[in-house]
Each structure stands twice: as structure tokens, then as C-alpha cells.
Amino acid sequence: MSLLVVGLSHRSAPVSVLERASLVGDEQAKLVQDTLAAEPATEAAVLATCNRIELYADVDKFHAGVAELSTLLAQHTGVGLDELTPYLYVHYEDRAVHHLFSVACGLDSMVVGEGQILGQIKDALALGQELHTAGRLLNDLFQQALRVGKRAHSETGIDRAGQSLVTFGLEQLAQGAPVAEWARGKRALVIGAGSMSSLAAATLARAGVAELVIANRTLERALRLAESLAEQHAATPAAVSAADEETLRGSLVARAVPRDRVSAELPHADIVVSCTGATGLVLTAAELRTALAQRAACPPGAHPAAADVSLLDLAMPRDIDAAAHRVEGLHLVDIESLAEAAAEPSGEPGSSAGAMATDVDKVRAIVSEEVAAFGAAQRAAHITPTVVALRTMAADVVASEIARLDGRLPDLDDKQRAEITQTVRRVVDKLLHAPTVRVKQLASTPGGAGYADALRELFDLDPQAVAAVSRADGSARTAGPNDPKGGRA
């Protein structure tokens, strides 16, 4: 195993760099394809979220792999290599496994313990399977990471410690008040209908907002989300059509509008959440000032009274102009301010923070245990093609000797020939059983990689035969998501 990860995250780089380094559109697919085309890499996968970009690869040369993966990250993010390099981290082999397992458990998240990262890891695996860039190693790694993350959430209280970025952001907007009390009765505008925006809309709906408007470039997607949320709050919501929007009414008023109607909705919104894939600003400071002026001119009772308009920007790169921080009447929480808030001490020993620390320690123990198990399994798997090639060679020798016996003793009947053949096979199997079982055990220990080489040397095995077994095993493991041999985790 020569697993290498090169990446940057909120822990290693300022938000200003992460914002510029984000991968948009089909850049993730292009990055993994170009990585696979690079000489040091035989497998590749990319994990890209709003606060991390990590490139995973199976490489045959460490230094050349680091240089190549760093260069590819710079090329595809558009950030110069000289500028990017100080913020990159590198993990290799067991340390790389430990890193991904920690990420999967939420230990490396901006909000410790958040569970959304599991969906993002699943998406990274699915992309690698779809593009056939994830081979045996990365399939095993990412599928095991998903299992480790689920184990951490089921066996510890990390869920109590962890929150989604959405929940954390809303708590920052509420400034110490319970989110449900703070949001109740307000009007909310959610820009975007992707996974993060959908989670924000659902969270606000549960918190009791009076009205929820979903604005999206694709109106149909916004309509589906609005309808789903309305149905959860009323048994039979009625749809009211307008020229360019759909209104769904129940105990929660949920509406869907095209994104070009955002400026018309802004003056009536008390809470605005934005998370789109746009490369430029969705809301400028000037647009927000105009909305505040229109809001102030609204007749009494036209919208709920609120001291400030609360803005939550979960996009990377940012959707909302950072200059909104300086506009009176606006309260903006973005990725940068969330990172600062997450870095602050959360409490005293013995408090809820102390309980969180206990859960974190339990998860770390799980990660260490799973890393050791994964390493042992990979080392054992590494020798399997050699053992298979050895047994294949032994079977060929038996077949050859039986064929020669047929020539020397042509009068043997079928029963005699079958008995002799079975006896010879049993002898060979018994001779090989103990050594092959023992060599697998030895290979699974740290430093056991050399046993495969020793086995090939002792029995003069054809390297091509071993490689053929490896290729066959790899093909079975890298089948696409719709193939019965493969599939998504």
C-alpha cells in the first residue's frame, strides 16, 4: 500500500485561500482523471467540501507523488503553486488512513462530530467508481471510512457533541438564544436547493419560521423542496400558482421562486441563507442596502419586526459580499466567522464540553483500532495474489505429472486415475496449507510486506502470474456503481 493524500482545509489554510481554491463545476472529475493520468498514480479520488480539498492517490513514488499531486491541485484550483504549498498537508500510508478515518468521524470538521461529511465521502467514492479512478485500495479505504464514521456515531455520543454546519451557523445568528425561539414567526429566504441549502430549509422549518421561500436557478428543484417541506407541516397543502412562482400553503407557508426573484424577496426576509455553486457573488452589499431601504419603507405589519436581517453564507467561494459585515442592520455569519467561532473554547471541564471531550477520546480510540485493522487487512491482501499464484503453479505441476503418468501407465482405469489424482492433490494441499496460512499471518503484521517478495523468490514464481491475479482482483473491486460486483457503500 502506497496511499498518499495531499490537501488543505480550514485547519491549514485561511478562508481567503480556501475560497479561491474551491473546485467548481466538473473540476473534481477533471482533477481525478488528470491525477490518474500522471505517472506516479494508479488510483485517485478527491474529497471536496466547503472547507477542505483533499486528493487521494495510490502512488509508487512518495516524493514524485507529492510533487505531482501538489501541482495538480494548484492547476485545477487556479491558486499558484508557490502560494498554495505553505497551506498543504501531506499524509502517507497509515497516517493517510488515520486522517481519512478521523475526517469520516467528524474529528477534523469545523464543527466536531458533524455527520454531513459521511455523505461527502460517499460522493467522493461514487465519483471515483463512476470514472474508474478508484481501484482496490481506494474502494477499500473509502468504504471502510464510511463504516468507521457510522460506527463512531452509533457507539459514542459524538452526535451530541457535533452539529451540522447549518445548525452551528444558525446558533451563531441566534447569539445565545435557542434557535427555535429566535426563528419562530420569522420569514426566511433560502438561496439554492442543494444538499446544504435543503438542510438549512428543513432546519428553519422545524424551528418554526412562519414563511420559507426557496430561490433556485432551477425552479423545479426549488418547487420539490418547498412541496416536501410543506407536506411535512400540513396533511394536504394546497398549491397556489402565480406567473413565475408556486405557493404551497399549510401550517408552514413554503414558496419556490426563480433565483432572479431574490431581489424582490429580500426586503421581506428576516433570515437569509445562501449556499449555491456560483463563482461570483449572489448578494452584493449594494443590493443588501437597497433591500434594507425597501424594508424600512414597507407599511407596518408587512413583515415581522426584527432588529437586524440575519444572513448565513455557507458557500465556498462566498455567496454574500463580506462588506455586509459593515452594513448597519445586517448580521452576517459566513465560513470565516464560523471558523473563528469553532476555534473558541466551548466550556469548562465537567460541563457539556467535558462530555464532548470524553466522546472525542472514545472516537479517537475507535479510529486507532480501525486504522490498525485496515493496515493488517491491506498487508494480508497484498500477499494474496502471490499465494494464489503459488497454488496455481502447484495445481499446474500436479496436472502435468498426472498427464505424464497417463503416458507411462496407459492401462489405468478411470477410478484408479481419479484416486491417484486426488491423492497427489491432497499431498500438495497439505504441504502448502501451513506455510500459506502462516505467511498471511506474518504479512498482516507491521513490516510484513517483504513476505510476498520472499515467497516469490523461494518458489521462483512468475511475476506476470502474480500480476494477473492482482489485476483480476482489482477488476472485481473497481466495478462501477451499477455493477453487481461493485456498487456504492
Side-chain angles (χ1 to χ4, degrees):
M1 178 180 67
S2 298
L3 176 65
L4 174 66
V5 56
V6 179
L8 69 161
S9 73
H10 64 98
R11 293 186 181 275
S12 70
V15 172
S16 58
V17 174
L18 282 172
E19 186 177 35
R20 292 169 53 212
S22 60
L23 298 172
V24 297
D26 59 355
E27 279 299 323
Q28 291 185 40
K30 291 179 180 177
L31 175 56
V32 291
Q33 289 172 325
D34 286 353
T35 302
L36 195 63
E39 186 174 334
T42 57
E43 300 182 33
V46 61
L47 177 59
T49 73
C50 62
N51 53 32
R52 79 175 62 247
I53 300 173
E54 296 177 347
L55 186 53
Y56 291 77
D58 185 5
V59 299
D60 55 8
K61 298 174 183 176
F62 172 74
H63 293 292
V66 171
E68 188 64 39
L69 267 59
S70 301
T71 300
L72 287 166
L73 281 171
Q75 290 175 348
H76 285 269
T77 60
V79 180
L81 182 59
D82 290 344
E83 183 181 359
L84 191 65
T85 298
Y87 304 112
L88 294 177
Y89 46 79
V90 175
H91 299 296
Y92 190 55
E93 295 190 329
D94 283 353
R95 291 301 306 169
V97 177
H98 189 282
H99 175 75
L100 181 59
F101 287 5
S102 297
V103 169
C105 294
L107 293 180
D108 198 59
S109 296
M110 186 179 295
V111 182
V112 174
E114 62 92 9
Q116 278 189 305
I117 188 65
L118 287 174
Q120 293 158 335
I121 290 174
K122 188 174 182 179
D123 290 342
L125 173 61
L127 180 63
Q129 290 174 334
E130 178 185 346
L131 300 176
H132 303 289
T133 62
R136 182 190 63 80
L137 174 59
L138 293 186
N139 268 280
D140 287 353
L141 174 70
F142 276 73
Q143 288 181 20
Q144 188 61 25
L146 291 169
R147 288 189 283 268
V148 173
K150 291 173 184 176
R151 179 188 169 192
H153 284 283
S154 65
E155 294 184 13
T156 75
I158 197 72
D159 283 330
R160 296 192 299 268
Q163 311 153 307
S164 73
L165 202 59
V166 169
T167 304
F168 188 52
L170 293 176
E171 288 181 348
Q172 297 304 304
L173 286 177
Q175 297 178 300
V179 171
E181 292 181 11
W182 167 79
R184 188 175 299 122
K186 292 183 178 179
R187 294 183 177 183
L189 170 62
V190 176
I191 306 173
S195 58
M196 191 76 78
S197 298
S198 298
L199 179 59
T203 303
L204 287 166
R206 287 195 301 270
V209 294
E211 184 176 1
L212 185 59
V213 179
I214 312 295
N216 194 52
R217 188 180 300 277
T218 305
L219 180 59
E220 289 76 14
R221 189 168 183 176
L223 283 169
R224 287 195 297 270
L225 177 56
E227 182 175 14
S228 173
L229 293 171
E231 286 176 350
Q232 293 174 26
H233 288 76
T236 55
V240 180
S241 298
D244 57 359
E245 68 182 64
E246 183 82 0
T247 303
L248 297 163
R249 299 190 182 275
S251 58
L252 167 73
V253 177
R255 296 190 292 118
V257 301
R259 209 163 89 184
D260 58 13
R261 286 290 305 276
V262 165
S263 59
E265 297 292 339
L266 272 177
H268 310 289
D270 303 304
I271 305 168
V272 179
V273 180
S274 188
C275 187
T276 73
T279 55
L281 291 176
V282 173
L283 295 176
T284 65
E287 289 171 323
L288 290 166
R289 288 191 186 94
T290 299
L292 283 176
Q294 293 173 340
R295 180 182 177 88
C298 286
H303 57 75
D308 290 336
V309 175
S310 300
L311 308 170
L312 177 58
D313 184 359
L314 297 171
M316 185 69 75
R318 71 181 73 235
D319 278 350
I320 301 176
D321 193 342
H325 281 293
R326 300 188 295 274
V327 177
E328 186 176 356
L330 298 178
H331 179 200
L332 171 61
V333 170
D334 52 20
I335 293 295
E336 192 163 15
S337 54
L338 286 175
E340 293 172 356
E344 295 174 357
S346 55
E348 298 297 327
S351 64
S352 59
M356 184 184 81
T358 300
D359 290 324
V360 167
D361 287 342
K362 290 178 181 177
V363 173
R364 285 174 176 159
I366 289 174
V367 169
S368 295
E369 175 189 329
E370 292 285 358
V371 169
F374 184 82
Q378 289 296 308
R379 288 187 289 269
H382 179 69
I383 203 169
T384 297
T386 304
V387 172
V388 172
L390 173 60
R391 288 191 171 275
T392 301
M393 184 189 75
D396 290 343
V397 170
V398 170
S400 176
E401 289 301 317
I402 294 300
R404 191 170 70 152
L405 183 65
D406 285 342
R408 296 177 65 181
L409 299 175
D411 296 332
L412 287 175
D413 59 33
D414 290 343
K415 182 177 180 180
Q416 291 170 326
R417 184 180 296 104
E419 186 62 34
I420 293 172
T421 301
Q422 187 63 26
T423 298
V424 174
R425 285 174 177 167
R426 280 199 299 267
V427 170
V428 171
D429 285 344
K430 287 182 178 180
L431 287 172
L432 290 179
H433 176 72
T436 53
V437 169
R438 183 60 179 147
V439 80
K440 285 183 177 180
Q441 294 172 341
L442 293 170
S444 68
T445 61
Y451 285 101
D453 295 333
L455 206 60
R456 287 193 295 269
E457 186 69 24
L458 285 170
F459 288 92
D460 194 24
L461 296 177
D462 181 3
Q464 296 301 319
V466 176
V469 176
S470 298
R471 286 194 296 271
D473 180 57
S475 297
R477 290 171 180 262
T478 58
N482 297 320
D483 191 305
K485 294 180 181 178
R488 298 183 182 184

